[in-house]
Amino acid sequence: MNWWDDALHRATAEVILVGALAGLIGVQVVLRRLSFFTMALTHATFPGVVAASIIGVNIFVGGVAAGAVVALGVAALSRRQGQNAAAATGVVLSGGFALGAGLVATQNGFSRDLSSFLVGSVLTVTPQDLVLTAVVLAVVACVLAIGARPLLFTGFDRTGARAAGFATTAWDVVLLFTIEVVVVTVVPAVGTILALALIVAPAAAARMWSHRLPVITALAMAFGVLSGLGGLYVSSRWNLAAGASITLVATATLLLSSLLVRIPGRAVPA
């Protein structure tokens, strides 16, 4: 039997790739304080993947298309005078999830396939899902490496970024679209609802251990991978839902880091 024919083997490879991918993009989400926006994207992705499933299109295409529209819409609303970015994002969060629920209601009951989009079903990932996740991981790593300097400038000193000649709005859109691609990619593993925790928790935990971006990034990816593997073990050991187990382990990693860094006499490295 081929190694990839075993569902547990595929799930193990997927959680490793997804954990690294979530940790990588999570650093940008945490440092730029985009957690609420990312949560809105996870909810807005739901109608996209549901619609794609209904019409027979790849859920990755449907999710990315829906997320791209939402990302551009929120960016446009937040730039208009009198509009509040948080308010616009909150409306999108509720509206997107309501649209997804409405689409589900048009079907004959809430099928198992559609419910897996909410909380994931990592044991059912296909070899094609693995290839897609690996490709997205490589592309996201290249985008963040190429755009490291402009993303750093636009994230912490927008005035300085403009003075240096960087197109701040364009780089904002690039980052938001990259976050959306990651959100859609992790759907098979943890679903749209639980994706936020896997993206934010490892990066937030890593942020407590260092102030250096390369160290934070490496730790976030490591914590993401460990969360995926730990969650998969918990799921198989106690027969729990894999997506929920992965999310709980990621949350536990954040809580444990929070406790450890408060130990008297311990200083966070520079």
Side-chain angles (χ1 to χ4, degrees), residues 110-132:
F110 200 98
S111 74
R112 181 180 179 182
D113 287 340
L114 291 178
S115 65
S116 69
F117 296 149
L118 287 173
V119 295
S121 182
V122 72
L123 291 175
T124 63
V125 296
T126 65
Q128 291 74 24
D129 291 326
L130 292 175
V131 172
L132 177 62

Side-chain angles (χ1 to χ4, degrees), residues 193-226:
I193 301 301
L194 304 180
L196 179 68
L198 186 59
I199 291 174
V200 173
R207 180 66 182 85
M208 297 178 182
W209 292 99
S210 178
H211 298 304
R212 299 175 58 196
L213 185 58
V215 176
I216 294 173
T217 302
L219 284 175
M221 295 178 69
F223 288 157
V225 171
L226 291 175

Side-chain angles (χ1 to χ4, degrees), residues 9-32:
H9 291 169
R10 293 197 302 271
T12 301
E14 178 72 358
V15 296
I16 291 173
L17 292 170
V18 164
L21 178 61
L24 182 62
I25 196 64
V27 173
Q28 294 291 329
V29 172
V30 169
L31 294 182
R32 285 171 168 258

Side-chain angles (χ1 to χ4, degrees), residues 60-249:
F60 181 82
V61 176
V64 169
V69 171
V70 170
L72 293 174
V74 170
L77 284 173
S78 63
R79 289 177 62 86
R80 294 183 59 183
Q81 188 173 4
Q83 293 285 351
N84 182 274
T89 304
V91 171
V92 168
L93 188 155
S94 300
F97 193 76
L99 177 58
L103 290 174
V104 170
T106 65
Q107 306 304 296
N108 294 323
F110 200 98
S111 74
R112 181 180 179 182
D113 287 340
L114 291 178
S115 65
S116 69
F117 296 149
L118 287 173
V119 295
S121 182
V122 72
L123 291 175
T124 63
V125 296
T126 65
Q128 291 74 24
D129 291 326
L130 292 175
V131 172
L132 177 62
T133 306
V135 170
V136 171
L137 175 58
V139 171
V140 170
C142 289
V143 169
L144 294 182
I146 294 172
R149 190 161 179 263
L151 286 174
L152 185 65
F153 262 87
T154 56
F156 296 98
D157 186 3
R158 297 186 70 84
T159 302
R162 295 191 188 97
F166 294 121
T168 55
T169 300
W171 280 107
D172 284 343
V173 172
V174 167
L175 179 59
L176 297 182
F177 185 72
T178 303
I179 294 172
E180 169 56 25
V181 170
V182 172
V183 167
V184 178
T185 304
V186 304
V187 165
V190 293
T192 57
I193 301 301
L194 304 180
L196 179 68
L198 186 59
I199 291 174
V200 173
R207 180 66 182 85
M208 297 178 182
W209 292 99
S210 178
H211 298 304
R212 299 175 58 196
L213 185 58
V215 176
I216 294 173
T217 302
L219 284 175
M221 295 178 69
F223 288 157
V225 171
L226 291 175
S227 296
L229 293 174
L232 193 60
Y233 172 77
V234 170
S235 173
S236 61
R237 180 69 175 79
W238 286 284
N239 195 28
L240 301 175
S245 299
I246 293 170
T247 302
L248 288 173
V249 173

